[in-house]
């Protein structure tokens, strides 16, 4: 068993770490306060060629695997950028995967090179307010009209859409009542975010203020037939192919945020003196920080085990779900103890840990809740009856 990175992967880690840390804590603190998109950060990573790390080389990407993407996103998160820095890069890794796997040659050449350079930005529109995790119950409808599809409906939690030109959109092309299986009859589209037919209503949320999340209202949006991805009616299954890699890279982000928070806590615990001694000398703080570190290390091992399995073509559903479950817990615990270590100052924005605490909380909800990850393990790993 080899737990080490290759020479190339070690180089990725070093180069990404150096680039990400050019954007200091003040940069991210300001973005959190103003809600301004991190354009400079995004453009720096675009110029360095990191946006297309997992896209095929023949379409301008790096041609690398999910392991490499995990190294990239973990280091971005660990720099202090948190999910605010990870999200703009993440949207160039996961949402394009159905295009990579199921798109036509013309679609790949039209979209992937521009995604790799950052010229084209995309969002992801699947979730609906009345469907939630039960994707089969979406009601956004696409009806064929000549060489176009007419789309009407509503999505929620469409992120990164404010500065995106396209969104990967899931819509029903066959009504629910007419399908033989509830997961049939949904199709994927690479749809224009045409402002004449798409209205965004930004959601005021707990964290990641600089990267927008929106309710998306779609009124008679025309999508050309050339923008149907893969086979009509099979969109749900095309999305399933991307579930495991998404959970793995999200887990890497959660570990990275936990590491950033823990580093802040350790520095503070060494320098803060109370009753004539550094507070880090007290086991009441030392033990929880050591415990948080150990849990982050365990979660990181599962992240890279899952990524290795995926990259080598092995089943990894169990490992992907466990990685997401444990990384979200470990990341949040590390941020929580970092905040506690700072005492009252942990509540102050100038010490940064409260932002990481707010941002990492997302990973216990998205892209799948902790309870749904446990459902997977219970049913598919332990063989227990389906619980939902």
């Amino acid at each position: 068993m080899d737990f080490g990175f290759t020479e190339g992967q070690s180089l990725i880690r070093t180069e990404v770490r150096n680039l990400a840390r050019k954007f200091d804590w003040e940069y991210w603190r300001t973005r959190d306060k103003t809600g301004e998109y991190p354009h400079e950060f995004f453009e720096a990573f675009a110029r360095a060629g990191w946006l297309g790390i997992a896209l095929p080389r023949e379409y301008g990407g790096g041609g690398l695997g999910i392991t490499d993407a995990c190294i990239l996103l973990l280091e971005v998160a660990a720099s202090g950028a948190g999910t605010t820095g990870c999200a703009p890069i993440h949207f160039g890794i996961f949402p394009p995967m159905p295009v990579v796997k199921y798109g036509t040659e013309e679609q790949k050449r039209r979209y992937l090179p521009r995604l790799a350079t950052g010229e084209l930005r995309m969002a992801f529109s699947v979730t609906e307010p009345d469907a939630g995790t039960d994707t089969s119950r979406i009601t956004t409808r696409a009806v064929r009209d000549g060489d176009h599809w007419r789309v009407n409906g509503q999505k929620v939690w469409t992120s990164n859409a404010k500065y995106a030109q396209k969104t990967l959109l899931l819509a029903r092309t066959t009504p629910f009542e007419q399908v033989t299986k509830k997961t049939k009859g949904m199709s994927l589209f690479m749809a224009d975010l045409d402002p004449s037919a798409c209205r965004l209503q930004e959601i005021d949320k707990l964290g990641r203020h600089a990267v927008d999340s929106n309710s998306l209202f779609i009124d008679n949006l025309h999508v050309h037939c050339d923008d149907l991805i893969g086979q009509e009616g099979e969109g749900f299954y095309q999305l399933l192919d991307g579930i495991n890699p998404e959970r793995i890279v999200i887990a890497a982000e959660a570990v990275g945020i936990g590491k950033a928070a823990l580093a802040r806590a350790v520095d503070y615990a060494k320098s803060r003196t109370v009753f004539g001694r550094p507070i880090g000398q007290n086991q009441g703080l030392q033990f929880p920080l050591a415990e948080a570190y150990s849990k982050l290390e365990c979660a990181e091992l599962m992240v890279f085990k899952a990524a290795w399995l995926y990259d080598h073509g092995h089943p990894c559903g169990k490992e992907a779900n466990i990685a997401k479950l444990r990384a979200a817990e470990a990341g949040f615990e590390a941020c929580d103890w970092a905040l506690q270590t700072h005492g009252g100052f942990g509540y102050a924005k100038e010490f940064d840990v409260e932002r990481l605490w707010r941002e990492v909380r997302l990973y216990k909800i998205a892209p799948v809740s902790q309870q749904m990850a446990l459902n997977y393990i219970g049913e598919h790993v332990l063989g227990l009856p389906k619980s939902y």
Side-chain angles (χ1 to χ4, degrees):
M1 299 175 70
D2 185 356
F3 290 95
F5 291 145
T6 65
E7 183 179 347
Q9 289 168 339
S10 296
L11 186 60
I12 291 171
R13 182 170 60 176
T14 300
E15 291 188 358
V16 170
R17 181 178 295 174
N18 291 339
L19 178 57
R21 295 187 185 205
K22 290 181 179 179
F23 297 85
D24 60 13
W25 291 95
E26 177 62 30
Y27 178 84
W28 296 110
R29 198 180 307 135
T30 301
R31 294 301 167 283
D32 183 62
K33 182 177 181 179
T34 65
E36 181 185 355
Y37 195 86
H39 292 291
E40 305 89 349
F41 177 85
F42 178 83
E43 289 160 7
F45 272 77
R47 287 193 301 271
W50 293 116
L51 301 183
I53 187 170
L55 298 178
R57 289 185 187 277
E58 58 267 36
Y59 304 108
L64 300 177
I66 292 301
T67 301
D68 309 278
C70 285
I71 295 169
L72 165 67
L73 289 167
L74 193 155
E75 287 300 330
V76 168
S79 74
T83 189
T84 303
C86 288
I89 299 172
H90 174 98
F91 278 99
I93 295 172
F94 167 66
M97 284 301 112
V99 180
V100 172
K101 188 159 185 181
Y102 296 101
T104 65
E105 183 65 22
E106 189 275 333
Q107 288 170 337
K108 292 175 185 178
R109 297 201 176 278
R110 181 156 34 115
Y111 295 131
L112 299 183
R114 292 192 295 145
L115 285 168
T117 61
E119 178 189 351
L120 177 65
R121 303 187 195 188
M122 66 181 295
F124 187 68
S125 303
V126 172
T127 306
E128 296 189 4
D130 296 324
T133 304
D134 189 359
T135 305
S136 68
R137 291 291 183 173
I138 65 168
T139 57
T140 296
R141 186 81 167 91
V143 178
R144 183 71 179 265
D145 184 8
D147 61 356
H148 284 77
W149 293 84
R150 285 186 293 105
V151 183
N152 289 277
Q154 181 182 350
K155 297 293 182 179
V156 72
W157 297 113
T158 294
S159 294
N160 209 48
K162 193 173 178 181
Y163 299 102
Q165 300 85 28
K166 289 278 189 178
T167 188
L168 189 70
L169 174 72
L170 185 70
R172 273 221 163 268
T173 45
T174 303
F176 182 86
E177 299 76 18
Q178 296 178 19
V179 294
T180 55
K181 189 177 181 181
K182 66 179 184 179
T183 48
K184 293 281 190 179
M186 293 176 280
S187 302
L188 277 177
F189 299 91
M190 199 59 166
D192 288 318
L193 281 166
D194 179 0
S196 68
C198 297
R199 179 170 65 87
L200 295 173
Q201 182 176 304
E202 190 165 353
I203 298 168
D204 190 13
K205 56 190 187 296
L206 177 68
R208 208 187 70 183
H209 298 143
V211 180
D212 54 293
S213 296
N214 308 273
S215 292
L216 171 61
F217 301 89
I218 306 168
D219 183 14
N220 209 32
L221 174 66
H222 284 236
V223 181
H224 199 276
C225 290
D226 289 344
D227 284 330
L228 171 68
I229 304 300
Q231 186 179 347
E232 179 187 340
E234 298 297 316
F236 179 80
Y237 301 98
Q238 292 159 200
L239 280 178
L240 283 181
D241 284 341
I243 281 178
N244 286 332
E246 184 189 28
R247 291 177 187 183
I248 297 166
V249 296
I250 283 290
E253 294 174 20
V255 169
I257 295 174
K259 287 191 170 191
L262 193 62
R264 297 291 274 186
V266 168
D267 287 345
Y268 187 79
K270 289 177 180 177
S271 62
R272 174 67 166 162
T273 300
V274 179
F275 299 119
R277 55 192 277 163
I279 61 173
Q281 191 173 342
N282 300 320
Q283 291 179 343
L285 280 181
Q286 192 174 116
F287 284 4
L289 295 180
E291 182 101 1
Y293 176 81
S294 71
K295 291 179 180 180
L296 285 171
E297 288 290 295
C298 291
E300 185 175 351
L301 280 173
M302 184 55 75
V303 167
F304 284 107
K305 178 181 180 182
W308 185 91
L309 289 169
Y310 181 84
D311 286 340
H312 286 79
H314 301 305
C316 65
K318 175 182 73 173
E319 291 78 8
N321 278 277
I322 293 174
K324 189 273 170 190
L325 179 75
R326 296 273 63 93
E329 294 288 347
F332 182 77
E333 184 173 328
C335 290
D336 200 49
W337 272 111
L339 197 155
Q340 191 73 18
T341 298
H342 283 76
F345 289 120
Y347 218 63
K349 290 184 181 293
E350 66 180 288
F351 285 81
D352 299 299
V353 289
E354 62 82 32
R355 173 176 59 85
L356 299 178
W357 184 87
R358 285 185 284 112
E359 292 198 346
V360 79
R361 186 59 178 82
L362 172 65
Y363 295 106
K364 294 177 78 170
I365 303 169
V368 65
S369 70
Q370 301 297 80
Q371 291 71 30
M372 289 302 290
L374 289 169
N375 279 333
Y376 180 93
I377 297 166
E379 180 184 351
H380 297 284
V381 180
L382 302 181
L384 296 170
K386 187 173 182 176
S387 60
Y388 63 97

